[in-house]
Amino acid sequence: RAAVDTLPLGAESERHAWSPVGGHWRGVKIRYPLRLPPGYGRRPVLVALVGVLVTAAGVLVAPGAVSVADGLLRAIGDTARDHRTPAGVRAAVGVGLAAVVLLGVLVALYGACLLVGGAADLVRRRRDVEGRVLRLRQHGDEQRPRWHLAVDDGSSDHIRAWRLPSAPAVRQGATVRARVSPWLHHVADLATVHEDQSTVPVATAVTTPTGGAVGAVPPPLPDAGAVTAALGFPVDLVPTALAYPLAVAGASATFVARDGGRVMASWLRPEEFEEFRSLPRTVAAPVAGVGDEAYRAPMGGGLVARVGAQVLMVMATLPGRTDLQRDQAVEAVARTAVKQAGDH
């Protein structure tokens, strides 16, 4: 339960992101290569050397297996009364030999792929890439962690996340520059060009795309009593819950019901609303009567509303209730927050 209390709701998609690179919001699909191409993210010279060793090992497997199989058949034949190896034994040894040879061929092919990929990146120049960090993710486990950095330079709507051996000193939303090898995408000289408002604490007023201003201190969010009245069942504020990652100045509140239901309300940056506005209506359905403009995600039921120059987000997970009841609860909390913001 302690782990659940610290987990923010509404985790963003790893494989789909919205990017402003290029002067307008557009959808970007992200891949996180693991085994293909072989050696992805590794240093080219190391990949090439490992490729030589693996290829040599694979090539030596076949003659070695043939020699062992021949010696085994001779030994079995010498022990037989008529000095002839039984047909069943010969067939079994043949199948085993074929399997070992096939394994050697596969190992050799894998090594050749490593060798070609590493050598290709050694003979070709690295390219300079500058773009926005759309996703920064850690995968693997505690023993073998790996980091992926998805950077959009505006050249494609399909990008491969860079694989890094250690946690990079950059933040999601920042603009970074790096030298990247063409095939394995090995990253060198990674540095932050400048931070974005989404990656640093809000300390001064910022301007919305429509010209409005958002102060450093957003309106207060409803307390537990107001949310309880909106929902029709009691909830408690969790003061130790993590704020939503994109909340302005940490303006985020999480409420928990007795049955384990959770509701989160947050004030977001205005740019986040532009993403919902540009989404297809099958993904972000308009909601009338909540603030100046509002949209709901049919999957998950989260709601985002514009209240003047402010942007409100409300999400909920309510076990034991239908999707319609959850959506009605989210809308009720959003209306309460909008009214309170207007009275503030």
Side-chain angles (χ1 to χ4, degrees):
R1 184 177 181 85
V4 172
D5 286 342
T6 60
L7 289 173
L9 301 176
E12 58 191 1
S13 171
E14 285 196 347
R15 300 188 178 277
H16 296 86
W18 284 88
S19 173
V21 176
H24 64 279
W25 289 99
R26 73 188 206 287
V28 177
K29 293 184 178 180
I30 303 171
R31 291 196 302 116
Y32 298 86
L34 180 58
R35 295 182 177 86
L36 295 176
Y40 184 78
R42 306 295 186 183
R43 195 176 296 276
V45 62
L46 179 61
V47 172
L49 290 176
V50 172
V52 171
L53 297 177
V54 173
T55 302
V59 170
L60 293 176
V61 165
V66 171
S67 176
V68 170
D70 184 64
L72 181 61
L73 291 175
R74 289 178 181 274
I76 294 175
D78 292 340
T79 59
R81 293 181 179 180
D82 56 357
H83 297 287
R84 296 181 61 183
T85 305
V89 174
R90 296 180 65 87
V93 172
V95 171
L97 175 62
V100 173
V101 171
L102 178 60
L103 177 62
V105 171
L106 294 178
V107 170
L109 288 176
Y110 180 76
C113 291
L114 289 173
L115 176 59
V116 171
D121 275 7
L122 286 175
V123 299
R124 291 188 295 176
R125 296 181 56 184
R126 292 175 178 264
R127 62 189 182 96
D128 294 326
V129 178
E130 180 174 322
R132 179 185 176 93
V133 178
L134 300 184
R135 293 292 183 267
L136 173 58
R137 292 291 185 269
Q138 178 181 349
H139 297 123
D141 51 33
E142 294 182 357
Q143 285 71 35
R144 300 184 63 182
R146 61 184 185 276
W147 284 261
H148 281 99
L149 193 69
V151 177
D152 176 29
D153 63 355
S155 61
S156 175
D157 293 338
H158 296 75
I159 61 177
R160 289 191 295 173
W162 302 338
R163 182 176 177 177
L164 305 174
S166 59
V170 300
R171 303 190 186 190
Q172 186 168 304
T175 299
V176 299
R177 182 186 295 117
R179 296 172 55 245
V180 184
S181 63
W183 178 245
L184 298 177
H185 282 193
H186 177 260
V187 179
D189 302 329
L190 176 64
T192 299
V193 177
H194 64 80
E195 298 278 9
D196 183 77
Q197 288 293 335
S198 64
T199 64
V200 296
V202 179
T204 59
V206 297
T207 302
T208 71
T210 57
V214 179
V217 181
L221 290 163
D223 57 18
V227 175
T228 295
L231 294 173
F233 55 85
V235 295
D236 296 315
L237 176 67
V238 184
T240 58
L242 290 179
Y244 187 69
L246 301 181
V248 174
S252 179
T254 300
F255 305 89
V256 177
R258 294 174 182 175
D259 62 355
R262 296 171 64 84
V263 177
M264 175 181 279
S266 308
W267 290 107
L268 307 183
R269 299 175 298 109
E271 298 93 308
E272 302 304 323
F273 190 76
E274 293 300 317
E275 293 191 29
F276 275 82
R277 179 182 284 165
S278 59
L279 287 172
R281 293 298 170 257
T282 56
V283 179
V287 179
V290 181
D292 301 317
E293 186 181 0
Y295 298 92
R296 175 188 289 117
M299 296 296 292
L303 185 146
V304 175
R306 180 173 61 83
V307 187
Q310 310 286 349
V311 175
L312 172 72
M313 180 194 69
V314 179
M315 298 179 294
T317 53
L318 302 175
R321 291 175 172 80
T322 64
D323 290 349
L324 177 60
Q325 292 173 327
R326 177 205 59 202
D327 293 347
Q328 292 173 341
V330 167
E331 189 171 330
V333 174
R335 292 180 187 275
T336 300
V338 169
K339 184 179 183 303
Q340 180 170 308
D343 297 338
H344 178 66

